[in-house]
């Protein structure tokens, strides 16, 4: 690889070496093995991390990883990709606000509606939802009638999520001026979400592979998370989601994600464009 | 000619020592008292020393102060001026120091100029990279949208395929039903065909029996004719007997008359004749009865013959019906066989259809697999674009930092003045 006319070393990473790195990472961090993820993706991320660490070869990086907790943290962050924006795919949020949420509220009358945002990154998605709820139902009712739980594997981004401090671009690109005015305050060029919305969301670190830890929920947003998992892991996760959802509970996938054939028996398609499914 | 500073000092020192050495004889030649002479010697030596010292240190001090001032200016960031010492016939270390400092200033000037140029270039390049990163982000988002579109297609495809698969499976079930019904029909048709064959056989038997019957009727008819002929002959015999009886009667009558004529002798004969006549009468009577019987017989036989002919006609009618029935049975057999053939063909065709629908199910499953693979591939691409977006965000951040760094560098080197090199004017 050539960058600015200089040769940049591209470490060769064999399957065994990748395995060794991932096993070491799993042992040292206590996280499950990253073998449920798409191998090509994981490999690319690890190679990028090795290159950035300045290590000359994989052996040196392994030693470095063993000694340095910070590098382990950085590798975990690097393995989980965090791309998100407020109101990413605006049409989905419109559909949620106008169709899905009112129907769910009617159905769960008498108890709080539980919403689970899976792979929440720095909180853009759950906060977007919280903004919708405040807009539709008011702060008081939104706080009483809804429970939003947001989970992610990466503690560093969760810490960012709890800060609720965002750059204008590109994170807030999808937020209208009116919403920005109403829900955010400017702080040194960044924007801070108002506490009334912030307190509607609870964050928790969780690995999607540990299906036994899944909470009960009426609406699950699992967008652009499954794309990083291989097919068997995807099916396992979706089966577990089907288990925790009540009948007619709603599942939303990312726009490029599809329901694997074996799961179609458990989920009926409500909106193929927005990837909204209901549990059969 | 270069004279090192040390030599200059030594020269001054030697001059002072020389003055101290040579001054007492000169002063004592003036004829002053020894005290005054000593005092004057000291004064002269001091004066000469001071003059020499001043002479030597004047230039040196001026040069050093110029150098100090210049160093101070450099420390303030002013690199615009070079140090220019006044020309001298005896340069020393201060001149070398000046040259070195000038070189240093020049180097610093070059360095700062270089840094300034580089930081400007750096700022430009990082802006360029930032712009490129933003551009790549935009095109990646475009790709992501296209992938979403493709994925939407794959999802719809998967759903359609699933629906088609269901329909084809249902169709296959109904085709199987049709096949089994067709086979049942074929079996029924075969059974019907067998029954019709039996009917046809029975009709054939009936026809044979009827033929036999006709033959017998004809034989009977011929026998009847024979009977009639014989009866006629019997009639003739009876007529003949009647005639004989009549003549016998006449003869008996003649005999009676003769007997009467013969008188007494003829009495016995008359009795015989009477008896003969009675016999002839009885014979005639019997012959008449026979003739009557024959007439009756002939009438009866005629009637029987006629009724036989009547039956024969009726049976001929019946034979025609049996013929039609046999024909109908043949037709039934033909059409039932056709039905069986067609039912078999339906069964075969539906079997083929069943096989085709099996293949179709397989093909649809294959399509479903392809759709699934497509969906997986779009996810793969989607994951890669997400990764790329993340990398671009990182890159945009990094270039922002790089721009800040370049700005800071620029700000730091801006303290150094490079232009307007003003000629230093000698002040002393």
């Amino acid at each position: 690889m050539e960058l600015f006319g200089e040769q940049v070393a591209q470490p060769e990473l064999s399957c065994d070496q990748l395995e060794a790195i991932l096993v070491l990472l799993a042992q040292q961090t206590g996280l499950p093995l990253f073998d449920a993820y798409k191998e090509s993706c994981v490999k690319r991320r690890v190679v990028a991390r090795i290159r950035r660490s300045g290590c000359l070869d994989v052996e040196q990086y392994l030693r470095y990883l063993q000694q340095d907790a910070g590098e382990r943290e950085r590798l975990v962050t690097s393995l989980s990709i965090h791309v998100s924006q407020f109101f990413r795919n605006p049409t989905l949020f419109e559909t949620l606000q106008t169709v899905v949420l009112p129907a769910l509220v009617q159905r769960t009358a008498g108890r709080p509606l539980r919403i689970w945002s899976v792979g929440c990154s720095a909180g853009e998605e759950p906060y977007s939802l919280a903004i919708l709820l405040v807009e539709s139902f008011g702060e008081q009712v939104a706080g009483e009638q809804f429970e939003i739980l947001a989970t992610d594997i990466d503690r560093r981004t969760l810490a960012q999520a709890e800060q609720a401090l965002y750059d204008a671009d590109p994170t807030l690109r999808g937020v209208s001026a009116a919403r920005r005015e109403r829900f955010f305050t400017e702080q040194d060029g960044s924007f801070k979400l108002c506490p009334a919305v912030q307190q509607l969301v609870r964050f928790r670190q969780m690995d999607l592979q540990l299906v036994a830890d899944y909470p009960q929920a009426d609406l699950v947003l699992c967008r652009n998370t499954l794309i990083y998992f291989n097919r068997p892991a995807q099916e396992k996760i979706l089966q577990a989601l089907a288990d925790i959802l009540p009948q007619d509970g709603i599942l939303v996938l990312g726009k490029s994600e599809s329901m694997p054939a074996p799961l179609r028996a458990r989920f009926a398609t409500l909106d193929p464009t927005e990837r909204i499914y209901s549990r059969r | 000619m270069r004279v090192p500073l040390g030599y200059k000092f030594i020269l001054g020192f030697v001059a002072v020592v020389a003055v101290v050495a040579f001054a007492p004889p000169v002063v004592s030649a003036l004829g002053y008292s020894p005290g005054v002479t000593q005092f004057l010697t000291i004064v002269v030596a001091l004066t000469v020393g001071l003059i020499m010292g001043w002479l030597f240190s004047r230039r040196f001090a001026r040069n050093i102060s110029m150098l100090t001032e210049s160093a101070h200016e450099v420390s303030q960031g002013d690199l615009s001026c070079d140090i220019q010492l006044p020309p001298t016939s005896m340069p020393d270390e201060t001149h070398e120091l000046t040259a070195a400092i000038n070189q240093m200033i020049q180097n610093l000037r070059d360095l700062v100029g270089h840094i300034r140029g580089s930081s400007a270039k750096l700022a430009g390049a990082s802006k360029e990279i930032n712009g490129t990163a933003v551009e790549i982000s935009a095109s990646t988002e475009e790709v992501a949208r296209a992938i979403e579109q493709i994925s939407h297609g794959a999802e719809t495809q998967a759903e359609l395929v699933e629906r088609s698969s269901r329909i084809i499976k249902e169709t296959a079930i109904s085709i199987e039903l049709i096949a089994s019904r067709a086979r049942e029909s074929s079996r029924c048709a075969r059974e019907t065909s067998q029954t019709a064959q039996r009917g046809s056989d029975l009709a054939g038997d009936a026809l044979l029996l009827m033929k036999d019957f006709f033959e017998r009727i004809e034989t009977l008819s011929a026998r009847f004719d024979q009977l009639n002929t014989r009866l006629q002959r019997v009639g003739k015999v009876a007529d003949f007997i009647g005639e004989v009886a009549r003549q016998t009667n006449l003869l008996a009558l003649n005999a009676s008359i003769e007997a009467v004529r013969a008188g007494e002798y003829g009495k016995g004969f008359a009795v015989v004749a009477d008896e003969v006549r009675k016999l002839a009468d009885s014979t005639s009577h019997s012959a008449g009865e026979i003739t009557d019987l024959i007439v009756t017989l002939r009438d009866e036989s005629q009637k029987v013959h006629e009724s036989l002919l009547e039956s024969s006609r009726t049976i001929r009618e019946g034979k025609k019906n049996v013929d039609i029935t046999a024909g109908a049975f043949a037709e039934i057999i033909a059409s039932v066989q056709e039905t069986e053939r067609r039912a078999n063909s339906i069964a075969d065709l539906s079997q083929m259809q069943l096989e085709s629908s099996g293949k179709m199910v397989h093909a649809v499953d294959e399509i479903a697999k392809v759709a699934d693979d497509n969906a997986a591939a779009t996810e793969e691409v989607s994951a890669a674009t997400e990764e790329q977006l993340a990398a671009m965000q990182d890159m945009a951040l990094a270039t922002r930092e790089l721009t800040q760094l370049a700005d800071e560098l620029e700000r730091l080197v801006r303290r150094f003045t490079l232009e307007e090199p003003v000629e230093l004017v000698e002040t002393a």
Side-chain angles (χ1 to χ4, degrees):
Chain A
M1 187 173 154
E2 200 168 300
L3 205 63
F4 304 121
E6 269 179 63
Q7 287 291 322
V8 176
Q10 180 82 25
E12 285 290 321
L13 189 63
S14 72
C15 287
D16 291 342
Q17 287 170 324
L18 180 66
E19 175 88 24
I21 288 174
L22 295 182
V23 166
L24 177 70
L25 193 66
Q27 280 169 355
Q28 304 265 352
T29 58
L31 292 171
L33 207 57
F34 279 80
D35 59 354
Y37 293 82
K38 286 181 179 141
E39 196 186 312
S40 58
C41 190
V42 170
K43 197 167 175 176
R44 214 163 35 230
R45 307 303 293 172
V46 171
V47 168
R49 197 55 239 154
I50 293 175
R51 201 167 50 231
R52 282 188 199 178
S53 71
C55 291
L56 295 174
D57 57 26
V58 182
E59 304 304 319
Q60 192 187 349
Y61 183 73
L62 260 172
R63 282 195 298 278
Y64 177 45
L65 195 64
Q66 198 147 24
Q67 289 155 6
D68 194 272
E71 178 58 27
R72 290 197 288 273
E73 194 112 319
R74 281 193 289 277
L75 184 58
V76 171
T77 304
S78 161
L79 282 173
S80 43
I81 292 157
H82 303 285
V83 179
S84 196
Q85 283 177 20
F86 275 85
F87 300 104
R88 195 175 186 197
N89 306 123
T91 49
L92 168 70
F93 283 93
E94 270 168 38
T95 311
L96 285 179
Q97 191 169 27
T98 54
V99 182
V100 177
L101 284 171
L104 278 176
V105 166
Q106 217 166 26
R107 203 183 300 156
T108 59
R111 66 170 176 83
L113 180 76
R114 297 155 305 182
I115 301 172
W116 180 21
S117 167
V118 182
C120 65
S121 256
E124 293 90 341
E125 181 183 85
Y127 285 146
S128 300
L129 209 58
I131 288 174
L132 285 191
L133 295 180
V134 170
E135 279 180 348
S136 296
F137 303 96
E139 280 171 30
Q140 178 83 20
V141 178
E144 286 165 2
Q145 287 205 346
F146 296 91
E147 288 173 3
I148 305 179
L149 176 68
T151 63
D152 200 283
I153 189 172
D154 186 22
R155 289 183 200 282
R156 298 207 327 182
T157 50
L158 283 177
Q160 281 177 27
E162 287 183 347
Q163 293 272 313
L165 196 64
Y166 299 98
D167 284 342
D169 195 73
T171 318
L172 293 186
R173 208 187 287 167
V175 181
S176 65
R179 274 179 178 157
R180 205 176 285 196
E181 179 72 25
R182 180 171 168 194
F183 297 106
F184 291 89
T185 46
E186 196 165 352
Q187 262 183 21
D188 315 320
S190 297
F191 289 85
K192 171 100 179 149
L193 186 67
C194 69
V197 175
Q198 204 183 333
Q199 69 187 10
L200 292 176
V201 184
R202 279 181 304 122
F203 290 94
R204 193 198 296 170
Q205 193 270 342
M206 190 165 112
D207 189 289
L208 259 192
Q209 292 186 70
L210 305 175
V211 292
D213 293 352
Y214 285 12
Q216 296 285 315
D218 303 297
L219 166 63
V220 175
L221 298 175
C222 183
R223 297 163 63 222
N224 302 320
T225 304
L226 291 178
I227 48 174
Y228 304 112
F229 288 92
N230 54 36
R231 264 295 198 239
Q234 283 183 354
E235 283 173 20
K236 181 179 145 199
I237 290 167
L238 284 168
Q239 288 285 7
L241 288 178
D243 291 342
I244 59 123
L245 278 167
Q247 177 151 20
D248 297 325
I250 302 292
L251 171 69
V252 182
L253 295 181
K255 281 194 114 179
S256 62
E257 288 166 328
S258 56
M259 187 58 73
L263 268 302
R264 285 184 186 273
R266 301 201 70 185
F267 288 101
T269 312
L270 290 186
D271 187 334
T273 313
E274 304 299 344
R275 298 289 199 282
I276 303 176
Y277 301 87
S278 80
R279 221 213 72 187
R280 285 187 208 267
Chain B
M1 187 192 73
R2 179 182 185 274
V3 182
L5 265 179
Y7 289 180
K8 286 187 179 175
F9 277 108
I10 289 168
L11 203 67
F13 183 69
V14 167
V16 170
V17 168
V19 168
V20 171
F22 294 109
V26 176
V27 174
S28 61
L30 295 174
Y32 292 111
S33 65
V36 174
T37 305
Q38 200 171 7
F39 176 73
L40 271 179
T41 309
I42 290 167
V43 166
V44 167
L46 274 177
T47 309
V48 171
L50 276 174
I51 289 166
M52 294 294 283
W54 180 77
L55 270 175
F56 283 118
S57 68
R58 191 187 60 138
R59 255 162 209 259
F60 177 68
R62 188 200 58 200
N63 287 355
I64 288 294
S65 93
M66 278 175 74
L67 283 170
T68 310
E69 195 185 332
S70 179
H72 191 67
E73 276 172 5
V74 169
S75 79
Q76 291 299 311
D78 185 3
L79 302 175
S80 57
C81 311
D82 283 338
I83 309 166
Q84 278 185 324
L85 296 185
T88 173
S89 52
M90 287 191 295
D92 53 31
E93 278 94 334
T94 53
H95 290 84
E96 283 165 12
L97 186 62
T98 305
I101 287 178
N102 277 342
Q103 188 58 47
M104 184 182 83
I105 289 173
Q106 184 55 43
N107 287 349
L108 276 176
R109 215 158 32 213
D110 288 351
L111 184 68
V112 168
H114 204 71
I115 290 174
R116 202 180 277 177
S118 295
S119 67
K121 269 190 208 156
L122 185 63
S126 66
K127 277 199 190 89
E128 190 83 11
I129 297 173
N130 196 335
T132 312
V134 168
E135 220 169 274
I136 294 175
S137 286
S139 54
T140 308
E141 272 168 20
E142 198 80 17
V143 171
R145 266 196 296 281
I147 287 300
E148 281 170 6
Q149 205 65 30
I150 293 172
S151 169
H152 176 53
E155 178 77 3
T156 315
Q157 193 182 3
E159 218 173 86
L160 288 177
V161 162
E162 201 203 343
R163 214 180 300 162
S164 316
S165 174
R166 208 171 41 239
I167 291 169
I168 290 170
K169 274 169 193 157
E170 282 167 12
T171 313
I173 290 170
S174 60
I175 288 172
E176 217 167 348
L177 228 71
I178 290 172
S180 79
R181 288 284 142 80
R183 270 193 293 275
E184 273 169 29
S185 304
S186 163
R187 202 165 45 244
C188 284
R190 200 174 314 132
E191 280 168 10
T192 310
S193 155
Q194 279 161 3
T195 312
Q197 190 62 53
R198 266 206 302 283
S200 170
D201 289 351
L202 286 174
D205 286 354
L207 282 177
L208 278 179
L209 286 174
M210 277 180 182
K211 203 176 156 203
D212 198 39
F213 177 74
F214 278 125
E215 278 166 7
R216 278 164 201 234
I217 290 273
E218 254 153 55
T219 320
L220 208 58
S221 192
R223 293 227 175 121
F224 263 111
D225 285 347
Q226 270 177 4
L227 186 67
N228 270 344
T229 317
R230 283 186 190 158
L231 276 176
Q232 259 169 353
R233 269 163 62 195
V234 170
K236 272 179 193 156
V237 170
D239 283 351
F240 180 71
I241 292 171
E243 190 59 35
V244 169
R246 206 168 40 90
Q247 289 196 11
T248 308
N249 202 0
L250 280 175
L251 284 175
L253 200 57
N254 282 345
S256 306
I257 294 166
E258 290 297 322
V260 168
R261 244 185 250 159
E264 210 53 42
Y265 301 103
K267 264 195 188 165
F269 194 68
V271 173
V272 173
D274 197 38
E275 279 305 308
V276 169
R277 190 191 49 85
K278 275 184 190 165
L279 213 64
D281 276 352
S282 165
T283 302
S284 174
H285 185 70
S286 291
E289 267 183 6
I290 287 172
T291 310
D292 287 353
L293 268 172
I294 285 171
V295 169
T296 317
L297 265 176
R298 205 192 275 160
D299 284 356
E300 287 292 313
S301 83
Q302 193 62 39
K303 273 182 195 157
V304 168
H305 192 207
E306 271 169 16
S307 82
L308 266 179
L309 284 178
E310 185 64 38
S311 296
S312 170
R313 235 185 346 267
T314 315
I315 284 171
R316 196 166 287 128
E317 290 288 311
K319 182 181 172 266
K320 221 183 282 171
N321 285 352
V322 172
D323 269 341
I324 291 170
T325 307
F329 270 123
E331 272 173 30
I332 288 172
I333 288 167
S335 95
V336 165
Q337 273 170 351
E338 183 64 21
T339 307
E340 188 190 349
R341 207 176 55 75
R342 291 197 181 168
N344 275 336
S345 142
I346 289 174
D348 289 351
L349 283 175
S350 45
Q351 188 60 39
M352 272 163 69
Q353 223 169 352
L354 207 60
E355 278 162 23
S356 312
S357 72
K359 279 180 196 157
M360 210 155 19
V361 167
H362 185 71
V364 165
D365 283 350
E366 207 62 23
I367 293 174
K369 214 171 95 43
V370 171
D372 213 39
D373 286 353
N374 277 353
T378 53
E379 278 182 15
E380 197 101 12
V381 177
S382 187
T385 52
E386 292 281 286
E387 218 179 309
Q388 202 172 339
L389 274 178
M392 284 304 128
Q393 279 178 14
D394 286 353
M395 190 158 151
L397 261 177
T399 52
R400 208 182 301 165
E401 276 169 23
L402 205 60
T403 312
Q404 277 170 7
L405 211 67
D407 287 348
E408 201 169 332
L409 205 60
E410 226 274 322
R411 209 181 59 246
L412 281 175
V413 293
R414 205 179 297 143
R415 282 177 41 211
F416 295 99
T417 325
L418 300 183
E419 275 81 39
E420 303 161 2
V422 182
E423 287 273 321
L424 267 183
V425 186
E426 200 179 283
T427 45

